[in-house]
Each structure stands twice: as structure tokens, then as C-alpha cells.
């Protein structure tokens, strides 16, 4: 079960001589006329990046569905940024800086509008296949993929958001290891030769059946992937908003975990012993052969199960 609480790493106050590029007073923000918002999607994002990169931009944008970033770093300047229900900005491993000079508009219900990855867990390793032929060893399971560390998010806000919202910059958990493949059963023993009877007695009794062959060993399981660290959220606000912004942003503090290893491959059963040779006339039959020993199970390797660093947040208050 996940818990959610604040992780305040620091609150920084700048002196009166400190200025921030592009900073606007609340009165100038409210008086600015907003253009018709542009809907951002994953497919059209590259089309609007030049405008988002402009420090003089006064364009507003709206997010109605998940939008996924893939670049290493982005710095956007915009007027209003609105999220509708179902709209989430997935920053992945991107270092994203947002200067929202108007208002951040969040949907009702304190929903997550900024997140790191669409998938909280990396892909699992492939399971091994069964051993080939009789008595074959199962193949090893594949290792789970390593989880990625979250990117970082800087929110420069000039006014309070419309509603409270959540941020989930979790690191990605490692993928689970694949299961080892099972060993195949051993070959069955051969039946003994039948007895040989002469005219006056038994020349040779039936031979005993031969023993079954050993079963194949199970494959080793794959190791789980390592986990990624949670991201840092930095919120820059006017000093007058510092106490209120703390109540409006909730951080998902869940730590990513390493992936668990797969299960060892089951050993193959030993082959059945061959039947004894049939009797003949004066001769008795042979005894059945012994069953072969089973194979050995795959070997489970112990791994570190320590969680990775959780997400964190800091507030920077700027005097006006």
C-alpha cells in the first residue's frame, strides 16, 4: 500500500535584490489576455516546442490526455497550463523546467498531473524453455530490465494553482527475472532380453531391464533488474504564496524496488527402468530396472532488495 506525505527538503528565501528572469506581478498576470489554448499531445509536441522554448511566449496550453516526454532537458515558458481529467504530463527521465506565467489549472479531485513514467515497473525477463530431448537441461531465465531514475521537475509559479494536485516522480522499479526452464525427463531404460529355454531345461533366464537415465537439471532463474531513484520537484513561488502552496501540492513518496528474481526451473524426473526380459519355457523372466535419479533444480541467487531513493520536493520563495 502506498503512502503519501510531504518531503520538504528546504525552503529558500532570496534577498530583496534577487530577481528572476521573466517574473511577473500578480496584477500583470491577471490583466494579461489569454490566447486560445493549444492542446498538447505526444504526437504534436514537437510541432509546438519552438513556441514553448520562447521566453517571450504568452501562449496557453491544455493537456487532455497523457503526454510523454523523451528528450533529455526541456525549458518551457507559457501563460496558462490547463489539465483536464485524464491529462498527465509524463516527464520520464527529462529535466523539465516550466515557467507558468499565468495559472496552473488542475482538474477536480487532487489528481496526478505530473508523473515520471507510464510504467512503474521495467519489463520482466523472458522465462527459460524446457530442456531439449531426454534428460536435457532447462534454459536459464532472462534478467529483468533495470528501472530508470526519474527526471526532475521545476515549477515556477506566479499565482496559486486553481486546485490542489499531485506529483508522482517515482523511480521505475526493476523488472522481474524470468523463470528457469524445467529439465526434461530422463530416457527410459531398455527392456531385458527374453529367456532362452533348451529341450531339457533353461539355458538362460530373462535379463533384467536397464536403469532409467537421470532427469535434466532445471534452468537458473533470471535476476531482477535494479530500481531507479525518485525525482526532485522544485517549486518557485512568490514569498506571499509559500505557506499556501504547501497545502496544494501532494507528493507520491513511494520508493521504487528492485525486481524480484524468477523461480528456479523444476528438475526433470528420472527415466523409468526398463521391464525385465520375458520368461521362456523353463526360464523365468528378468527383473525391471531401477528408475533414474531426478535432475537438480535451478539455483536461485540472492539479491539486494533495498528500495531506491524516494521522490522529494523543495520550495523556493521569492520576495516581490
Amino acid at each position: 500500500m502506498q503512502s503519501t506525505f510531504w518531503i520538504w527538503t528546504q525552503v529558500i528565501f532570496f534577498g530583496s535584490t534577487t530577481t528572476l528572469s521573466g517574473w511577473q506581478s500578480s496584477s500583470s498576470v491577471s490583466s494579461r489576455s489569454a490566447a486560445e489554448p493549444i492542446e498538447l499531445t505526444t504526437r504534436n509536441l514537437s510541432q509546438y516546442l519552438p513556441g514553448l522554448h520562447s521566453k517571450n511566449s504568452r501562449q496557453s496550453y491544455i493537456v487532455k490526455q497523457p503526454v510523454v516526454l523523451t528528450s533529455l532537458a526541456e525549458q518551457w515558458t507559457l501563460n496558462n497550463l490547463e489539465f483536464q481529467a485524464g491529462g498527465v504530463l509524463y516527464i520520464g527521465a527529462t529535466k523539465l523546467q516550466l515557467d507558468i506565467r499565468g495559472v496552473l489549472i488542475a482538474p477536480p479531485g487532487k489528481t496526478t498531473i505530473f508523473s515520471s513514467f507510464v510504467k512503474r515497473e521495467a519489463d520482466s525477463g523472458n522465462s527459460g524453455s524446457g530442456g531439449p530431448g531426454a534428460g536435457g537441461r532447462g534454459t536459464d531465465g532472462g534478467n529483468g530490465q533495470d528501472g530508470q531514475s526519474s527526471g526532475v521537475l521545476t515549477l515556477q509559479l506566479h499565482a496559486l494553482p486553481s486546485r490542489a494536485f499531485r506529483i508522482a516522480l517515482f523511480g521505475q522499479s526493476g523488472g522481474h527475472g524470468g523463470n528457469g526452464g524445467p529439465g526434461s525427463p530422463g530416457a527410459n531404460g531398455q527392456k531385458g532380453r527374453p529367456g532362452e529355454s533348451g529341450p531339457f531345461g533353461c539355458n538362460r533366464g530373462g535379463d533384467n531391464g536397464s536403469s532409467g537415465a537421470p532427469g535434466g537439471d532445471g534452468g537458473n532463474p533470471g535476476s531482477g533488474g535494479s530500481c531507479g531513484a525518485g525525482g526532485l520537484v522544485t517549486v518557485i513561488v512568490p514569498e506571499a504564496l509559500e505557506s499556501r502552496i504547501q497545502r496544494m501540492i501532494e507528493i507520491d513518496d513511494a520508493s521504487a524496488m528492485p525486481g524480484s528474481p524468477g523461480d528456479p526451473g523444476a528438475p526433470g524426473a528420472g527415466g523409468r527402468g526398463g521391464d525385465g526380459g520375458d520368461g521362456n519355457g523353463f526360464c523365468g523372466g528378468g527383473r525391471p530396472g531401477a528408475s533414474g535419479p531426478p535432475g537438480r533444480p535451478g539455483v536461485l541467487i540472492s539479491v539486494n532488495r533495498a528500495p531506491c531513493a524516494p521522490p522529494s520536493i523543495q520550495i523556493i520563495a521569492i520576495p516581490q
Side-chain angles (χ1 to χ4, degrees), residues 12 74 226 282:
I12 304 172
E74 289 289 339
S226 60
F282 297 105

Side-chain angles (χ1 to χ4, degrees), residues 124-128 140-144 176-180 222:
S124 299
N126 294 325
S127 293
D140 295 338
N143 294 332
H176 296 292
N179 297 330

Side-chain angles (χ1 to χ4, degrees), residues 279-295:
N280 187 329
F282 297 105
C283 301
R287 294 189 299 271
S291 297

Side-chain angles (χ1 to χ4, degrees), residues 156-174:
Q156 181 178 332
L157 302 177
H158 300 258
L160 281 177
S162 65
R163 299 181 183 90
F165 60 92
R166 301 180 78 243
I167 301 176
L169 297 191
F170 51 83
Q172 204 175 32
S173 292

